[in-house]
C-alpha cells in the first residue's frame, strides 16, 4: 500500500492519544469529584482492574511501537491487533462512567477502511459482533443491567458499519480503476502527441532533424549569441557526385547512402551540437560553445570517417563529402552567415571536392 508506513504511524498515534485522553479524564474526575453518567464511586477491586487495563494498554502500545520501529514483517496486522486489544480495554475502562463507550470498538473497523482491506473489514466486524455479544451476556446484562435493546442496537450498528465500509472499499477501488484508466489514456495521448511532434521535426529517411526544425533551432541559438555571447559555427555538408550514385545504382541505393552518412554525422557530433538534413543530399550542423578550431577538427574527422566507409552495394566506390564551415559574429545576421557558409561549400565543391573550406574570417563593422 502506498505510504503504508505513514498510516501505521498515524493509527498508532491515534491509539496513544485516545488512551491519554481517557486517562486524563479519569484523573481529572477523581480530583474534582465529578459524576460521569453514574456516581463516580468505584470499589478497590474496580480500581485495581482499571489500573491493570491501563498497564495492558501501555504494554500493547509499546509493543506496537517496537514492532514499527524495528520494521518487522506484518506491520499492518500488528497495528490492527494492537488497536483491537486497546479498543476493548479502553471500552472496559470507560464503560462504567461514560455512556456510548461502545464507540471505541469501532476503531479497528475504521482502521480496516484506512487500509481499504475488505477481508480485514469482515474479520474485524465478525469478531466485534461475537466478542461484544459475549461481553454483554456475561458481564453487562447482569452487572450493569443493560437492556437487550441496547445490545441489539450495537450489533446493528456493527453490521451497518461493515456494510457501509464494504461500499466505501468497493467505491474506492472503482475510483482507483477509473483514475488508472484515465492516467493510461492521458499517457497514451502524450505518447501520440510526442510521436506526432517527432514526426513533424524529424526527417523520415535519415532520422536527423528536418529543414524547418533546423531553422527554428538556429533562430533560437542566434538570439543567444546576440544576448549571451554564445559561440556558434555553422557547417553545410554536401555529398559529392550524389546524382551519379542515383543514376548508376538507383534511388534506393542513394537512400542507403543518405542514411549511412546521416548515421555517421550523428555518431561524430556531441550532445550540444545539432544536425539536420537540409535538403536532398545536403546536411547542416550547428556547433555550439566551441572554438573555430574545435569545430574544424570535428568536421574534418567527419569528412575522413565518411570517406573511409565501405559501400559494397555501390561498387565499393568511396562516398565523399564537401564541407563549408563558418563562425557567427554578433550583429552579422542569419542571412550573412548562410551566404558565407554556402560560398565556402561552393568553393569546396569547385576546387576538388572531399575537403573542408572555412569561410573568410571577416567580422562585421
Amino acid at each position: 500500500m502506498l505510504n503504508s508506513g505513514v498510516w501505521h504511524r498515524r493509527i498508532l498515534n491515534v491509539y496513544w492519544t485516545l488512551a491519554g485522553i481517557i486517562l486524563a479524564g479519569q484523573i481529572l474526575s477523581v480530583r474534582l469529584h465529578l459524576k460521569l453518567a453514574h456516581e463516580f464511586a468505584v470499589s478497590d477491586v474496580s480500581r485495581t482492574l482499571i489500573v491493570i487495563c491501563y498497564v495492558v494498554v501501555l504494554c500493547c502500545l509499546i509493543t506496537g511501537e517496537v514492532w514499527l520501529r524495528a520494521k518487522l514483517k506484518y506491520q499492518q496486522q500488528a497495528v490492527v491487533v494492537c488497536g483491537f486489544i486497546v479498543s476493548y480495554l479502553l471500552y472496559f475502562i470507560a464503560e462504567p462512567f461514560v455512556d456510548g463507550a461502545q464507540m471505541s470498538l469501532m476503531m479497528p473497523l475504521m482502521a480496516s477502511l484506512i487500509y481499504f482491506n475488505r477481508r480485514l473489514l469482515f474479520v474485524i466486524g465478525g469478531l466485534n459482533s461475537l466478542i461484544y455479544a459475549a461481553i454483554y451476556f456475561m458481564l453487562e446484562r447482569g452487572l450493569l443491567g443493560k437492556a437487550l435493546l441496547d445490545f441489539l442496537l450495537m450489533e446493528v450498528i456493527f453490521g451497518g458499519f461493515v456494510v457501509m465500509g464494504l461500499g466505501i472499499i468497493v467505491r474506492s477501488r472503482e475510483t482507483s480503476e477509473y483514475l488508472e484508466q484515465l492516467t493510461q489514456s492521458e499517457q497514451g495521448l502524450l505518447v501520440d502527441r510526442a510521436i506526432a511532434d517527432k514526426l513533424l521535426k524529424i526527417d523520415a529517411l535519415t532520422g536527423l532533424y528536418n529543414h524547418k526544425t533546423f531553422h527554428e533551432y538556429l533562430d533560437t541559438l542566434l538570439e543567444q549569441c546576440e544576448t549571451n555571447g554564445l559561440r556558434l559555427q555553422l557547417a553545410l555538408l554536401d555529398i559529392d557526385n550524389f546524382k551519379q550514385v542515383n543514376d548508376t545504382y538507383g534511388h534506393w541505393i542513394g537512400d542507403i547512402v543518405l542514411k549511412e552518412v546521416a548515421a555517421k554525422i550523428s555518431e561524430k557530433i556531441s550532445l550540444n551540437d545539432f544536425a539536420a538534413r537540409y535538403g536532398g543530399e545536403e546536411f547542416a550542423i550547428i556547433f555550439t560553445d566551441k572554438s573555430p578550431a574545435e569545430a574544424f577538427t570535428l568536421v574534418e574527422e567527419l569528412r575522413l570517417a565518411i570517406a573511409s566507409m565501405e559501400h559494397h552495394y555501390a561498387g565499393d566506390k568511396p562516398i565523399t563529402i564537401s564541407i563549408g564551415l563558418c563562425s557567427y559574429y554578433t550583429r552579422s545576421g542569419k542571412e550573412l552567415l548562410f551566404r558565407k557558409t554556402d560560398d565556402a561549400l561552393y568553393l569546396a565543391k569547385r576546387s576538388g571536392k572531399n575537403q573542408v573550406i572555412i569561410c573568410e574570417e571577416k567580422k562585421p563593422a
Side-chain angles (χ1 to χ4, degrees), residues 277-320:
R277 183 186 181 190
Y278 197 70
E281 70 273 19
E282 192 171 353
F283 300 89
I285 304 176
I286 302 172
F287 297 102
T288 60
D289 204 25
K290 289 181 175 61
S291 66
E294 290 172 334
F296 174 79
T297 300
L298 284 173
V299 294
E300 179 65 15
E301 291 177 356
L302 176 61
R303 182 188 67 80
L304 293 174
I306 292 175
S308 63
M309 293 170 61
E310 296 181 355
H311 306 279
H312 302 297
Y313 48 82
D316 286 326
K317 293 182 179 179
I319 302 296
T320 62

Side-chain angles (χ1 to χ4, degrees), residues 226-288:
E226 298 293 344
T227 56
N228 301 322
L230 176 70
R231 293 184 298 178
L232 183 146
Q233 290 82 33
L234 173 64
L236 293 179
L237 302 77
D238 190 85
I239 300 177
D240 298 325
N241 305 314
F242 186 72
K243 185 177 183 301
Q244 183 178 348
V245 173
N246 279 334
D247 293 342
T248 303
Y249 303 102
H251 288 280
W252 70 278
I253 294 297
D255 290 344
I256 295 176
V257 171
L258 289 173
K259 290 179 181 180
E260 292 188 345
V261 171
K264 186 61 68 174
I265 292 174
S266 299
E267 176 187 327
K268 290 295 183 180
I269 64 175
S270 67
L271 294 175
N272 294 328
D273 303 326
F274 184 93
R277 183 186 181 190
Y278 197 70
E281 70 273 19
E282 192 171 353
F283 300 89
I285 304 176
I286 302 172
F287 297 102
T288 60

Side-chain angles (χ1 to χ4, degrees), residues 102-160:
Q102 298 94 332
M103 291 300 103
S104 65
L105 305 181
M106 305 296 290
M107 289 193 302
L109 289 172
M110 297 177 67
S112 63
L113 286 183
I114 292 175
Y115 291 121
F116 292 106
N117 191 323
R118 183 185 303 180
R119 179 181 299 177
L120 184 61
L121 178 67
F122 286 134
V123 171
I124 296 297
L127 287 177
N128 257 358
S129 296
L130 293 175
I131 295 176
Y132 182 70
I135 291 172
Y136 172 77
F137 288 108
M138 296 174 63
L139 297 174
E140 292 184 342
R141 188 173 186 180
L143 296 178
L144 301 178
K146 277 198 173 183
L148 181 62
L149 183 61
D150 293 340
F151 162 72
L152 295 177
L153 181 60
M154 280 306 303
E155 291 290 352
V156 170
I157 290 175
F158 287 147

Side-chain angles (χ1 to χ4, degrees), residues 170-183:
V170 171
R171 181 59 176 164
S172 68
R173 291 183 178 179
E174 290 177 351
T175 303
S176 177
E177 292 175 358
Y178 171 74
L179 291 176
E180 184 177 354
Q181 293 175 358
L182 187 62
T183 301

Side-chain angles (χ1 to χ4, degrees), residues 42-218:
V42 294
S43 63
D44 292 338
V45 176
S46 298
R47 290 193 183 96
T48 302
L49 290 175
I50 290 175
V51 171
I52 292 174
C53 286
Y54 271 121
V55 171
V56 176
V57 167
L58 182 62
C59 292
C60 188
L61 291 176
I62 291 175
T63 302
E65 285 287 344
V66 173
W67 199 288
L68 291 186
R69 294 179 185 275
K71 297 182 179 179
L72 302 177
K73 293 182 178 180
Y74 308 110
Q75 291 193 1
Q76 178 178 321
Q77 291 81 351
V79 170
V80 172
V81 170
C82 176
F84 193 83
I85 297 173
V86 168
S87 65
Y88 270 91
L89 291 173
L90 294 180
Y91 169 65
F92 279 123
I93 293 170
E95 171 60 16
F97 316 106
V98 180
D99 286 336
Q102 298 94 332
M103 291 300 103
S104 65
L105 305 181
M106 305 296 290
M107 289 193 302
L109 289 172
M110 297 177 67
S112 63
L113 286 183
I114 292 175
Y115 291 121
F116 292 106
N117 191 323
R118 183 185 303 180
R119 179 181 299 177
L120 184 61
L121 178 67
F122 286 134
V123 171
I124 296 297
L127 287 177
N128 257 358
S129 296
L130 293 175
I131 295 176
Y132 182 70
I135 291 172
Y136 172 77
F137 288 108
M138 296 174 63
L139 297 174
E140 292 184 342
R141 188 173 186 180
L143 296 178
L144 301 178
K146 277 198 173 183
L148 181 62
L149 183 61
D150 293 340
F151 162 72
L152 295 177
L153 181 60
M154 280 306 303
E155 291 290 352
V156 170
I157 290 175
F158 287 147
F161 192 91
V162 170
V163 173
M164 292 181 62
L166 178 61
I168 293 173
I169 293 174
V170 171
R171 181 59 176 164
S172 68
R173 291 183 178 179
E174 290 177 351
T175 303
S176 177
E177 292 175 358
Y178 171 74
L179 291 176
E180 184 177 354
Q181 293 175 358
L182 187 62
T183 301
Q184 291 176 351
S185 177
E186 290 180 352
Q187 289 176 346
L189 290 175
L190 289 175
V191 171
D192 292 341
R193 187 180 302 171
I195 294 174
D197 187 57
K198 182 177 180 180
L199 292 176
L200 291 174
K201 293 183 176 182
I202 300 296
D203 176 67
L205 178 63
T206 62
L208 299 179
Y209 289 101
N210 57 28
H211 183 276
K212 178 178 179 293
T213 306
F214 168 78
H215 279 284
E216 292 175 352
Y217 189 71
L218 180 61

